[in-house]
Amino acid sequence: MITIYGRANSSNVRKVLWLLAEIGLDYERLDYGRGYTPCDTPEYLAMNPNAVVPTLKDGDFVLWESNAIMRYVAARYGKESLYPRDLQQRGIVEQWLDWQLTTGYIGLRNLFMGLAVKAPDFAKPEVLEKALGQASGAMRILDAQLARTGAYVAGPELTIADTSLGMFTHRWFGLDIKRPELKALSAYYARLQKRRPFKDVIVANGI
């Protein structure tokens, strides 16, 4: 059985748990990370030297980095639509997975740290203003992509690009900020909320 090490309210852990739920795969989750079992124990560091969550263990195989875990899980256990074998279709999925970690992440992370975590360095007005501009720009890019596809990030069916970006779309709509009107993004979020795994894993564990 797969074991996931990581607290359920971590955004990166939730990405993986949502995918597992979409597949219907049984797993065990152990609470590690902030507020739970520390990630800097010798036992955990032997699995993941970065001392962060999540970490996956599948038999004797250990893997860290949430998007890498999703690639592995989808390729080994999921249906092809989650992680297409066609190289061009897969390339689009990979493109948006990487985009989430770079352009799509920075501003939203800083907003979350300032508004939800209330970390002093991030809660300064000038930092929040810059973060909102970055996040709004990123979400406009995602909105334009969703307007083209009319459904999910990489096309008509859910892929691991969605199980990555859907988590942060949820966070975008959950933060107390002034958001630009992005119709395709709003429709996408409404579409995700109709999926039981999304509600049970993403929505149920806060922003």
Side-chain angles (χ1 to χ4, degrees):
M1 178 182 289
I2 285 177
T3 300
I4 301 294
Y5 297 80
R7 53 189 171 85
N9 59 356
S10 158
S11 59
N12 286 325
V13 173
R14 275 189 275 176
K15 294 191 307 187
V16 173
L17 299 183
W18 175 17
L19 175 61
L20 292 170
E22 288 282 351
I23 295 172
L25 201 61
D26 289 335
Y27 63 91
E28 176 186 25
R29 185 185 60 79
L30 303 177
D31 277 323
Y32 274 76
R34 187 172 64 243
Y36 297 96
T37 304
C39 293
D40 59 357
T41 64
E43 294 79 13
Y44 190 83
L45 289 172
M47 294 189 296
N48 186 339
N50 304 288
V52 296
V53 294
T55 297
L56 171 144
K57 189 171 184 182
D58 188 7
D60 293 330
F61 178 66
V62 175
L63 188 65
W64 37 265
E65 288 296 333
S66 59
N67 285 358
I69 291 171
M70 289 196 299
R71 290 178 174 100
Y72 168 77
V73 168
R76 181 165 186 182
Y77 296 107
K79 58 184 180 179
E80 185 179 348
S81 59
L82 284 168
Y83 193 34
R85 291 190 183 93
D86 177 86
L87 291 181
Q88 292 186 356
Q89 294 176 2
R90 178 170 288 197
I92 297 299
V93 172
E94 299 279 12
Q95 168 185 274
W96 287 100
L97 283 173
D98 288 349
W99 183 87
Q100 181 268 309
L101 292 173
T102 53
T103 304
Y105 179 69
I106 298 171
L108 197 55
R109 172 189 178 272
N110 292 350
L111 282 176
F112 179 76
M113 292 298 295
L115 297 173
V117 180
K118 300 189 185 302
D121 288 346
F122 293 92
K124 298 174 182 177
E126 64 274 19
V127 175
L128 289 173
E129 182 180 3
K130 180 180 179 180
L132 180 58
Q134 291 173 318
S136 297
M139 288 302 169
R140 286 189 177 94
I141 292 171
L142 181 56
D143 178 76
Q145 171 67 6
L146 291 164
R148 282 190 290 269
T149 65
Y152 296 100
V153 173
E157 296 187 77
L158 186 92
T159 69
I160 56 175
D162 298 287
T163 54
S164 181
L165 283 161
M167 168 64 231
F168 295 96
T169 300
H170 170 66
R171 182 160 286 178
W172 168 254
F173 283 104
L175 289 170
D176 184 15
I177 55 177
K178 184 176 182 180
R179 287 176 288 274
E181 182 180 5
L182 301 172
K183 292 181 179 180
L185 186 66
S186 295
Y188 173 65
Y189 185 50
R191 193 174 301 118
L192 293 181
Q193 290 181 87
K194 294 178 181 178
R195 305 184 75 96
R196 175 60 62 180
F198 181 83
K199 291 172 67 176
D200 291 347
V201 175
I202 303 298
V203 178
N205 286 292
I207 62 169

